[in-house]
Amino acid sequence: MLETSGLTLHYGGSQILHGIDFVAKPGEITCIMGPNGVGKTSFLKALAGTHPRSGGSVTMNGAALPLCRPQDMARRGLSSVPQGRMIFPLLTVRENLETAFAVLPKAEHQIPDEVFTLFPILKDFLSRRGGDLSGGQQQQLAIARALIMRPKVLLLDEPTEGIQPSVIQQIGHVLEYLKAKGDMAIILVEQYFEFAYGLADQVYVFRRGAVSFSGKVSSFDKAVLRAAVSV
Amino acid sequence: MSALLEVSGISVSFDGFRAINNLSFSIGPAELRAIIGPNGAGKTTFMDIVTGKTRPDQGTITFGERAVSLLGMSEARIAREGIGRKFQRPTVFEDQSVQDNLLLALKAARSPWCVLIWKPKASDLARVQVLAHEVGLADQLQRKSGELSHGQKQWLEIAMLLAQEPRLLLVDEPAAGMTPSEREQTTSLLVSLAKTRAVVVVEHDMDFVRRLNCRVTVLHEGAVLAEGSLDHVTRDQQVISVYLGRG
Amino acid sequence: MDGRAAGQAAKVDLTALNPNAGVRGVIAAALVPFTLSNPDPARRAEALTSIARDPTAETLAPLRASINREPDPAIKAQKTRLERFLTLRFDPDPAARVAAIDALGADTALDVRAALNPLIATTLVAAASPPDGNIARTLRLGRDIGETAAYELLVSAQLAPARLTLEDQRVALIANIADGKVVGVPVADLNSQAARDLVYTALEEAGKVPTAATDDEARAALASHGFYEVFLEPDVTVTAAAHAAMDRIQANVAVMQAADLGLDALSLAAIYFLAAIGLAITFGVMGVINMAHGEFITIGAYTGFVVQLFVPDYTLSILIALPLAFAVTFAAGVAMERLVIRHLYKRPLETLLATFGISIALQQILKNVFGTQARPLTAPGWLDGALTFNDVVSISYIRIAIFVLALLFLCSFLYLMKRTRLGLEVRAVTQNPAMAASMGINPDRINMLTFGLGSGIAGVAGVAIGLYAKVTSEMGADYIVQSFMTVVVGGVGNVWGALAGASMIGGLQKLIEFLNPANTLAAQTYMILFIILFIQVRPRGIIALRGRAAGD
Amino acid sequence: MSRSFFAKHPSVLIFIAVLAIFTIMVTLASDAYGFGWLSTSYIKTLGKTLSLCLVALAMDLIWGYAGILTLGHMAFFALGGYLIGMWLMYARTEEIVVQALAHGGLPATPEEISQGIASQIFGVVGTSDLPAIWSFAYSLPLQLALALAVPGLLALVFGWLAFRSRVTGVYLSILTQAMTLALALYLYQNDSGLRGNNGLSGLQNLPGLTETSQDLVSIWFFWASALALGLGYLTLAWAVSGKFGSVIRAIRDDEARVRFLGYPVELYKLFLFTLTALIAALAGVLYYPQAGIINPAELAPIASIYLAVWVAIGGRGRLYGAVIGAAFVSLLSSVFTSGRLPNIPLGPVWLSWVDWWLVLLGAAFVAVTLFAPKGISGVFDRYQRIAPPDRKGAPLGPADGSLQKQEAQA
């Protein structure tokens, strides 16, 4: 379980996040929604350690996490699928997947079959360069790469952005499968309302760097939630 | 009404990725225009092209009554033609005082020799004073701009733009990182500026765009998707599907 | 002999019995038929060598006679070849000589050229009308022969009087000073050449000094004579054939010289590559300007020197020195990264200055420890000598070894980067450090190891360079700017760029040296000028890649 | 230059006063005009140091203020020295040759004289023809004009090439270093027309002043150097105090932004590059007659890096910092390398200052870069309680990396 309380974040002099209280449980998909520029991605960055938070606390399974670097967060079981996918364009698909071995003991340095079951297309493209894949394939690669790290918390930042519907559907299935497995907390930042609504257990709606409201998805009326999220 | 800036059919690609795709756009001499669009729609690239930072692969850009082509001009030359640009992050010269920053931007000869022998006249100093007053920095003139708050830096940068006396102002996300009251001020400033010159605002925040109450251009994948009043574009099905929530 | 002096004699009285050339010729001619058919092949070969060294007309007939009876095919071929050389010079029948010349084809061997050269040797002749003999060409005054040289030719042929030198004129004038005047002109006025000429002419007219040619006379003399290059060889057909053969050979030699130049360029490129590859890693991959890179090269070379102090076997010592140099400079690099560079990432100019500080300190420490004189780093004996293809193309074994080493490095570097975990992590960090960190890769550790690797390679390059250049505390500094050039020209950020840059700079330098062989310093000047212009055209180098460093 | 200029920049007045007092003190301590406390060679060292301070000023202007780390300005310095050296050597040799020929029975002809000069100067590299580049060496005004024109033109052409294609940062540093190396290698050649690695010598003897003792000459050059430094300091202080200084500091901190304000950044850089090259050449003109000898080693790339070291140790971005750095390091260097300091016993070995001075300098330099980026003049800031604006660790220059821009979008 990942928990934050009063988390704040600054870029230089400007404050982006104003005290976020947030909980994500294993076996659940916690969705963060809201329009552009409200601090969703910044929140994920604060969690992943890519940009240090300026205040507040983060606890994972009850243990408080100090301010630490992204590689330490990765070792603690947090893996992320960032916006724009950020695969390594000049590495092959296999090499991209292998970068995830950094957090695993040497004996486990092999790509589990589960990855290819979830994303069969990657098996065919193992020796292609990551940069040569299409957007949808890159997205699958990025998710696969994050899964190999065997995370306790999985962060996904707009995985459907610029992706064709068939792949979106597939990503949806994967997320449902992972949720059913129940061994990781999934935090999903998403603007594609239908997609997010269909998957999420919990929802947090952000507005101008703060949580405007949150709760179980089932407790909201769909139309009300959509209106709240849109503009 | 003849257009001040006329962009027609420009395209540009980076490493095979088409950032701008046959984009046409025009703006009148005293008009306020908002540009919205999802991430990667080409908003910043569009500004880069107009200000000469990026050279388009094809298309034409003309500016002013005599319709001078901006293509092939250096950034500095385009700026001297009368196009000002405000960046997302405030970029003021932090090591220098507010007054120096404003003097730097003040409209005057730009060549090294002229600058070397230039001395501020009383009228220049008065103008700086007026500008500083306009953005609420009148009592901060001697402070180093690095010591200003984030919002003040934004204001200083806007004042610098005014000092340049541009005929076209390109503003990239002016409200980012501002407090609600600062946003309010920025809105009214932009609206009043647009009475005497063309102002193009790139913004994410719909509330902010709504308050600007102007024509909106929606960019998507490097081309214009829709144009019109905010209400008009927010009813547009295409806009809704790519930008407002795909649902 | 009882040890007493045999007597005193003046040195001049004691002359050795030195047979003159004529006598020797006679003796040789008499001996030749016997030795050429001596049953001992060694003796026959020896005889051939002695004939080749001092060819005479008399040996031609016995040589010819011995060819058919020669049992040894190698010696027979040698005899045939020698027979041609003798024929083309001494055979009375011009047709036979021409045939012998043509039979040589375009053989580029030095002895062939040596045999042909006398046939096309010429002398300069000045004469009022074209002389008899085999004229090679008529020289045009001012174009083929300078006026001064032409007039000297006339003087030496006693066709014109010598011109007056300024010194002679001065002496003559001084000799004629009387009462501070020379023929009425005050000495003080003789401070220009015109005045002196005038006075000298007056003296000539007075008959007090010998008449010397005036400019007009000299010009007339030149105009009334022709200047000719005349072959020493009287037969026209022979000289024509020899010329044709020489042209063929020259063309062939040019091709081979190009090949030789190519080999030279390749080995120079290998050296530049070795020196620059470490820099390509630290500068290209990490965006760090390491001015102390040259000192790492030096440290590598000194490591080799120290190893040789303890291990006298040169082969073994080099084998120990290579990994040891790597280890030493790797450690130095890691230490430097931890202590200094780590604090200066994203401030490339400051890195440049800080590493420069390290560079001068290291250089001085090395100087204090090892002294200023050059230290030897001796290559194993089997690397002495050169691989010789023919008289034109050859390459020394040590350069081949360096080339092989460079190749080895390229391969192992590629292996390391493409096939190992470390390489994968390095590439990931280079392409996107933030994402790599999110994958659990520690960028700090990778940066440290990358820097160590780049420095370690510099150490190995130092051993290689030390083998053929002198090892001084300043040797690395000589390579630093070149290495930077290599990296910048090649394109920052990848090993192929360093390879391309090294090839281009190596090739270019050799080419310029070839065009202007007198001056290697000028070659370097022109090369750097070329590079400055080249960067205008391709500011990102030959192989431009986007990387972290490319952003700057 | 109004009174308010000094009022606003008291450091200029202080500097000029200190320089004036120093000059008077040295004059009083000299052999020629004072009590002879300082040896003539030490006066020369001080004079040379002042010239070095002048070139450090130029370096500070282009690096400290405009952020362009050029590693080639000592080449312009040496070029100025070479060009003035040509006149000094020519004119001096002419006197000697004329004197020698006067005993030859006949008065010398111009041809004999030039022949004599050529063989005197170039005998050492095996020719006796005067190269074409010495055509104007007979005339002080012409050669003096060349001493400024040639480095200026070289800087103009090189700068135009470099800035036109927007070569910046370390690339520019490497490129300027390559230019210096090319020039040095060219001068090392015997047929460069400048006596190869022999260089030019005997420059301390002023033509026409054979009878004047070096005691006097040294103090004259000291005065000239002090005057040049003072005037240079005033001019540059005036230039950087106004809008020009504001523009070039802005170029240092964010050149893209300056471009968008409408300033032709490349033109500014070219202007600065050429201007500072001219100052460097002028300093060289003053330096080498005091040094007495110049050879291609003076152009070695390392000399220009030392120049950067002086400025960095003194403190970038303030003119007095450059002067303090150059004076401090070069004087200290002459103390340590003079061999007069006692060696320090370290157990069985002696630590010799001559040997270890460079190690010390290198280490000090690393320390300054790491821990005191403002150099020695940072001390003055502390005294005046000037604190830099708190940037929360953000660098002064343009935003490094698009990463932060993307972050700001989120």
Side-chain angles (χ1 to χ4, degrees):
Chain A
M1 189 164 84
L2 185 84
E3 225 177 320
T4 75
S5 83
L7 186 141
T8 60
L9 182 139
H10 285 78
Y11 285 131
S14 69
Q15 185 166 8
I16 302 294
L17 297 177
H18 304 265
I20 308 278
D21 299 323
F22 177 91
V23 180
K25 300 196 184 84
E28 279 189 358
I29 294 180
T30 310
C31 194
I32 302 172
M33 299 169 96
N36 270 328
V38 295
K40 303 185 300 270
T41 300
S42 302
F43 180 61
L44 291 197
K45 284 191 171 153
L47 292 184
T50 348
H51 194 289
R53 60 181 188 264
S54 53
S57 66
V58 179
T59 59
M60 196 190 257
N61 296 335
L65 297 183
L67 259 187
C68 52
R69 298 170 301 176
Q71 61 263 36
D72 302 325
M73 288 307 288
R75 285 178 191 283
R76 286 168 203 260
L78 187 137
S79 79
S80 56
V81 180
Q83 194 176 23
R85 305 177 277 274
M86 299 287 170
I87 53 138
F88 300 104
L90 301 176
L91 301 189
T92 64
V93 168
R94 178 190 292 280
E95 288 169 339
N96 262 287
L97 294 173
E98 284 173 354
T99 53
F101 293 164
V103 297
L104 301 178
K106 189 129 199 172
E108 296 169 33
H109 280 200
Q110 54 203 20
I111 301 167
D113 292 336
E114 187 192 26
V115 166
F116 298 120
T117 327
L118 292 175
F119 303 105
I121 192 144
L122 295 181
K123 187 150 200 164
D124 303 334
F125 287 168
L126 272 178
S127 52
R128 275 217 213 167
R129 288 208 300 188
D132 297 340
L133 299 187
S134 77
Q137 292 158 352
Q138 289 188 356
Q139 190 62 267
Q140 299 180 45
L141 174 58
I143 299 174
R145 189 177 63 175
L147 291 182
I148 294 175
M149 294 164 73
R150 289 205 223 108
K152 296 194 190 86
V153 179
L154 178 65
L155 308 176
L156 296 126
D157 195 353
E158 307 222 14
T160 65
E161 189 187 16
I163 308 279
Q164 67 267 36
S166 61
V167 178
I168 294 181
Q169 211 179 4
Q170 198 193 355
I171 292 173
H173 293 322
V174 170
L175 292 184
E176 267 163 5
Y177 164 81
L178 294 174
K179 177 163 115 180
K181 261 178 87 180
D183 55 358
M184 63 181 81
I186 300 171
I187 300 175
L188 174 68
V189 165
E190 190 50 74
Q191 290 205 38
Y192 183 5
F193 182 76
E194 290 293 325
F195 181 79
Y197 190 80
L199 285 169
D201 300 296
Q202 299 282 340
V203 66
Y204 284 80
V205 177
F206 274 38
R207 173 107 343 157
R208 253 176 244 147
V211 177
S212 70
F213 61 91
S214 61
K216 267 195 144 36
V217 174
S218 49
S219 65
F220 295 110
D221 180 71
K222 187 173 177 184
V224 172
L225 189 57
R226 172 180 306 192
V229 168
S230 300
V231 179
Chain B
M1 184 176 78
S2 75
L4 178 69
L5 177 75
E6 182 85 57
V7 172
S8 67
I10 52 166
S11 298
V12 68
S13 359
F14 304 115
D15 304 314
F17 166 68
R18 281 226 145 166
I20 295 283
N21 189 6
N22 195 19
L23 175 77
S24 296
F25 176 92
S26 78
I27 186 164
E31 191 190 341
L32 180 61
R33 177 77 62 90
I35 295 183
I36 60 174
N39 284 334
K43 295 171 304 222
T44 303
T45 312
F46 167 73
M47 289 208 172
D48 283 350
I49 288 175
V50 173
T51 51
K53 196 177 172 195
T54 303
R55 205 146 280 185
D57 300 333
Q58 48 182 308
T60 58
I61 309 175
T62 57
F63 182 72
E65 291 76 24
R66 291 183 294 114
V68 215
S69 172
L70 296 185
L71 292 180
M73 281 191 189
S74 68
E75 292 106 306
R77 182 88 177 71
I78 290 176
R80 289 200 296 274
E81 282 293 315
I83 297 182
R85 177 175 185 179
K86 188 199 164 302
F87 290 86
Q88 251 163 29
R89 278 152 48 98
T91 47
V92 296
F93 301 108
E94 310 212 340
D95 201 32
Q96 306 192 26
S97 71
V98 172
Q99 173 160 310
D100 284 345
N101 268 283
L102 287 170
L103 283 176
L104 208 55
L106 213 59
K107 191 169 178 156
R110 295 300 204 216
S111 72
W113 184 248
C114 297
V115 166
L116 192 58
I117 55 174
W118 187 85
K119 287 189 84 168
K121 293 185 289 289
S123 63
D124 297 319
L125 292 173
R127 173 101 180 104
V128 166
Q129 192 71 42
V130 167
L131 284 167
H133 185 77
E134 234 172 276
V135 296
L137 291 173
D139 49 350
Q140 315 276 353
L141 274 177
Q142 299 311 325
R143 274 183 78 186
K144 281 212 171 166
S145 59
E147 298 166 2
L148 300 178
S149 76
H150 182 78
Q152 283 174 317
K153 283 182 200 166
Q154 294 270 32
W155 283 110
L156 173 57
E157 186 163 22
I158 289 170
M160 284 167 72
L161 279 177
L162 298 181
Q164 269 179 276
E165 296 175 26
R167 304 178 55 204
L168 168 65
L169 204 50
L170 303 173
V171 190
D172 203 352
E173 296 198 36
M178 280 192 173
T179 63
S181 69
E182 283 173 340
R183 280 157 191 266
E184 205 76 46
Q185 259 183 302
T186 313
T187 320
S188 49
L189 180 79
L190 288 174
V191 170
S192 75
L193 280 179
K195 287 183 184 128
T196 51
R197 73 202 76 213
V199 179
V200 176
V201 183
V202 166
E203 188 50 75
H204 269 315
D205 186 337
M206 280 301 171
D207 295 339
F208 189 82
V209 173
R210 176 151 295 147
R211 261 183 272 132
L212 287 179
N213 190 24
C214 64
R215 251 174 105 80
V216 175
T217 300
V218 184
L219 286 192
H220 179 54
E221 290 178 352
V224 175
L225 190 67
E227 203 169 272
S229 70
L230 186 64
D231 289 334
H232 171 79
V233 298
T234 47
R235 276 197 301 273
D236 188 301
Q237 272 310 313
Q238 275 182 301
V239 175
I240 292 169
S241 71
V242 303
Y243 188 57
L244 296 170
R246 275 177 287 191
Chain C
M1 301 292 267
D2 56 6
R4 280 182 292 125
Q8 299 280 328
K11 182 118 184 158
V12 282
D13 295 338
L14 288 174
T15 45
L17 205 68
N18 253 341
N20 66 23
V23 176
R24 260 186 296 147
V26 173
I27 297 171
L31 286 176
V32 155
F34 301 106
T35 41
L36 279 178
S37 26
N38 191 302
D40 181 3
R43 297 274 297 155
R44 296 204 298 279
E46 209 175 280
L48 286 178
T49 318
S50 95
I51 295 173
R53 200 186 312 123
D54 192 10
T56 54
E58 291 82 2
T59 46
L60 181 54
L63 178 63
R64 271 187 190 152
S66 74
I67 289 177
N68 283 333
R69 296 195 308 268
E70 176 60 51
D72 186 324
I75 294 183
K76 188 169 183 174
Q78 224 180 329
K79 280 185 174 175
T80 317
R81 189 177 166 84
L82 190 56
E83 186 262 341
R84 283 202 192 114
F85 291 162
L86 293 183
T87 305
L88 62 84
R89 260 182 91 176
F90 301 117
D91 197 285
D93 176 14
R97 299 175 68 188
V98 170
I101 291 169
D102 289 344
L104 287 172
D107 192 333
T108 55
L110 278 178
D111 54 353
V112 174
R113 279 178 275 168
L116 284 174
N117 269 329
L119 298 187
I120 53 172
T122 56
T123 55
L124 289 178
V125 172
S129 57
D132 301 332
N134 186 355
I135 295 175
R137 59 174 183 156
T138 308
L139 299 173
R140 286 158 302 177
L141 200 61
R143 233 182 285 177
D144 301 323
I145 184 168
E147 288 198 9
T148 324
Y151 196 80
E152 272 169 18
L153 204 60
L154 285 179
V155 173
S156 67
Q158 297 187 324
L159 293 170
R163 299 198 66 173
L164 181 68
T165 66
L166 291 179
E167 186 54 30
D168 289 343
Q169 187 188 44
R170 209 169 68 83
V171 169
L173 291 181
I174 291 172
N176 285 286
I177 294 175
D179 298 340
K181 288 182 179 177
V182 185
V183 282
V185 180
V187 170
D189 288 353
L190 293 178
N191 60 356
S192 79
Q193 195 55 47
R196 289 190 185 180
D197 284 347
L198 224 69
V199 172
Y200 192 84
T201 316
L203 284 174
E204 272 180 355
E205 278 162 7
K208 288 182 181 164
V209 292
T211 315
T214 63
D215 285 354
D216 287 340
E217 286 163 3
R219 229 171 279 131
L222 285 174
S224 61
H225 288 86
F227 301 90
Y228 307 94
E229 241 177 48
V230 180
F231 283 118
L232 297 177
E233 167 62 47
D235 194 302
V236 180
T237 54
V238 172
T239 51
H243 245 298
M246 213 52 180
D247 285 348
R248 285 195 302 270
I249 292 171
Q250 289 302 345
N252 222 347
V253 165
V255 171
M256 289 186 180
Q257 270 175 340
D260 191 50
L261 200 68
L263 281 180
D264 267 4
L266 219 55
S267 63
L268 190 65
I271 290 160
Y272 283 153
F273 178 71
L274 272 179
I277 178 171
L279 204 66
I281 297 170
T282 50
F283 177 42
V285 175
M286 301 172 67
V288 166
I289 300 290
N290 182 10
M291 294 300 284
H293 184 80
E295 276 59 49
F296 287 162
I297 292 179
T298 319
I299 290 177
Y302 275 123
T303 309
F305 165 71
V306 171
V307 169
Q308 287 198 337
L309 289 183
F310 294 100
V311 183
D313 181 82
Y314 288 142
T315 307
L316 185 66
S317 67
I318 293 295
L319 287 180
I320 296 174
L322 284 172
L324 192 66
F326 183 89
V328 169
T329 46
F330 180 91
V334 167
M336 191 164 130
E337 202 274 346
R338 284 290 91 182
L339 294 174
V340 178
I341 303 218
R342 189 165 55 106
H343 307 287
L344 297 173
Y345 281 126
K346 297 189 176 176
R347 287 154 73 193
L349 292 182
E350 318 245 314
T351 326
L352 191 157
L353 292 172
T355 50
F356 169 72
I358 297 171
S359 159
I360 51 175
L362 278 181
Q363 194 173 330
Q364 188 61 41
I365 290 174
L366 289 171
K367 198 177 281 176
N368 293 349
V369 174
F370 293 101
T372 42
Q373 75 272 44
R375 297 294 185 170
L377 182 55
T378 317
W382 48 271
L383 279 179
D384 291 341
L387 179 65
T388 309
F389 296 98
N390 56 36
D391 284 341
V392 185
V393 187
S394 73
I395 181 165
S396 67
Y397 285 122
I398 207 134
R399 287 185 164 232
I400 295 178
I402 288 175
F403 184 75
V404 169
L405 194 68
L407 215 58
L408 215 63
F409 253 85
L410 180 63
C411 293
S412 49
F413 182 72
L414 288 175
Y415 174 82
L416 182 76
M417 291 305 267
K418 300 275 182 197
R419 293 271 176 276
T420 65
R421 180 76 208 157
L422 177 67
L424 180 69
E425 297 195 350
V426 168
R427 283 184 294 150
V429 170
T430 311
Q431 286 175 39
N432 191 336
M435 191 60 225
S438 290
M439 299 308 298
I441 297 167
N442 186 346
D444 295 342
R445 185 180 145 266
I446 294 298
N447 280 335
M448 183 181 84
L449 290 179
T450 314
F451 201 84
L453 183 71
S455 311
I457 292 177
V460 176
V463 177
I465 291 170
L467 283 180
Y468 87 102
K470 56 190 196 300
V471 181
T472 67
S473 59
E474 276 149 18
M475 68 179 275
D478 298 341
Y479 282 90
I480 187 79
V481 180
Q482 305 278 38
S483 301
F484 272 122
M485 289 277 120
T486 307
V487 176
V488 170
V489 163
V492 166
N494 69 89
V495 65
W496 298 113
L499 191 64
S503 310
M504 192 174 117
I505 293 187
L508 203 69
Q509 183 158 343
K510 280 292 156 193
L511 188 70
I512 299 174
E513 269 175 32
F514 172 72
L515 297 175
N516 180 10
N519 214 325
T520 49
L521 286 172
Q524 290 189 20
T525 311
Y526 294 132
M527 190 189 65
I528 295 172
L529 286 183
F530 173 83
I531 289 170
I532 291 175
L533 291 175
F534 178 82
I535 289 177
Q536 298 292 307
V537 189
R538 287 200 73 122
R540 292 263 173 265
I542 302 172
I543 297 175
L545 254 199
R546 282 167 305 144
R548 234 200 305 175
D552 187 70
Chain D
M1 230 166 280
S2 59
R3 201 145 38 91
S4 71
F5 171 73
F6 289 115
K8 259 192 252 167
H9 305 277
S11 70
V12 178
L13 208 56
I14 296 173
F15 177 84
I16 297 297
V18 169
L19 184 65
I21 293 168
F22 177 68
T23 310
I24 293 168
M25 276 168 51
V26 170
T27 308
L28 289 179
S30 70
D31 266 332
Y33 296 101
F35 307 102
W37 293 325
L38 292 176
S39 70
T40 296
S41 74
Y42 197 70
I43 302 263
K44 281 188 177 175
T45 303
L46 291 176
K48 282 191 290 184
T49 306
L50 291 182
S51 325
L52 293 177
C53 292
L54 183 60
V55 63
L57 274 186
M59 184 68 185
D60 195 24
L61 182 66
I62 191 158
W63 180 37
Y65 281 85
I68 305 166
L69 178 53
T70 139
L71 298 180
H73 267 51
M74 280 316 251
F76 301 125
F77 179 80
L79 219 50
Y82 256 108
L83 285 157
I84 197 65
M86 282 161 77
W87 172 74
L88 285 167
M89 201 164 173
Y90 186 98
R92 174 86 183 136
T93 312
E94 185 174 26
E95 287 178 357
I96 295 169
V97 166
V98 168
Q99 216 167 24
L101 286 176
H103 305 299
L106 292 181
T109 65
E111 289 85 356
E112 279 175 329
I113 292 172
S114 68
Q115 193 61 43
I117 295 171
S119 55
Q120 273 282 320
I121 297 180
F122 288 99
V124 64
V125 290
T127 66
S128 56
D129 294 326
L130 207 61
I133 51 170
W134 287 71
S135 306
F136 301 107
Y138 64 91
S139 150
L140 174 62
L142 282 178
Q143 200 64 28
L144 213 48
L146 279 182
L148 294 180
V150 170
L153 209 63
L154 179 67
L156 196 69
V157 171
F158 180 86
W160 183 75
L161 284 174
F163 298 128
R164 189 187 65 103
S165 48
R166 299 228 174 135
V167 177
T168 54
V170 289
Y171 287 87
L172 188 85
S173 307
I174 293 174
L175 211 59
T176 47
Q177 210 179 5
M179 176 202 75
T180 317
L181 184 64
L183 207 60
L185 289 175
Y186 179 77
L187 288 174
Y188 267 119
Q189 293 171 215
N190 277 344
D191 56 5
S192 66
L194 290 165
R195 305 200 343 146
N197 61 357
N198 304 293
L200 308 181
S201 54
L203 310 184
Q204 71 278 22
N205 302 313
L206 296 188
L209 295 171
T210 32
E211 303 305 313
T212 320
S213 90
Q214 285 292 315
D215 296 345
L216 281 170
V217 173
S218 67
I219 199 79
W220 293 345
F221 267 103
F222 176 82
W223 287 339
S225 304
L227 184 70
L229 178 62
L231 287 178
Y233 193 94
L234 276 178
T235 316
L236 294 188
W238 168 76
V240 299
S241 72
K243 189 171 170 185
F244 185 78
S246 184
V247 173
I248 62 174
R249 280 185 296 153
I251 289 175
R252 173 191 69 193
D253 293 346
D254 190 345
E255 69 172 65
R257 182 77 182 87
V258 179
R259 247 179 235 130
F260 285 121
L261 281 176
Y263 290 94
V265 169
E266 279 64 43
L267 199 61
Y268 275 83
K269 287 184 174 177
L270 185 56
F271 181 81
L272 278 175
F273 195 73
T274 312
L275 177 74
T276 49
L278 286 174
I279 298 175
L282 178 69
V285 166
L286 288 169
Y287 180 90
Y288 285 101
Q290 305 181 67
I293 183 163
I294 183 170
N295 58 45
E298 304 280 322
L299 280 92
I302 200 159
S304 294
I305 304 184
Y306 273 123
L307 182 59
V309 170
W310 296 337
V311 174
I313 287 187
R316 278 170 275 172
R318 58 200 72 214
L319 295 174
Y320 59 84
V323 175
I324 291 172
F328 181 72
V329 179
S330 69
L331 284 180
L332 214 58
S333 177
S334 69
V335 170
F336 278 115
T337 52
S338 67
R340 280 194 296 256
L341 284 185
N343 291 343
I344 299 172
L346 272 182
V349 290
W350 288 79
L351 189 111
S352 150
W353 283 113
V354 179
D355 289 343
W356 290 92
W357 153 243
L358 274 180
V359 180
L360 197 70
L361 179 67
F365 184 53
V366 176
V368 165
T369 322
L370 282 179
F371 305 116
K374 292 170 122 196
I376 297 173
S377 51
V379 175
F380 293 90
D381 283 0
R382 195 158 304 168
Y383 177 72
Q384 289 175 301
R385 291 168 204 276
I386 299 173
D390 186 7
R391 267 177 261 279
K392 300 206 165 41
L396 195 73
D400 49 43
S402 52
L403 196 66
Q404 295 191 357
K405 194 175 144 203
Q406 285 166 7
E407 282 167 349
Q409 269 174 357

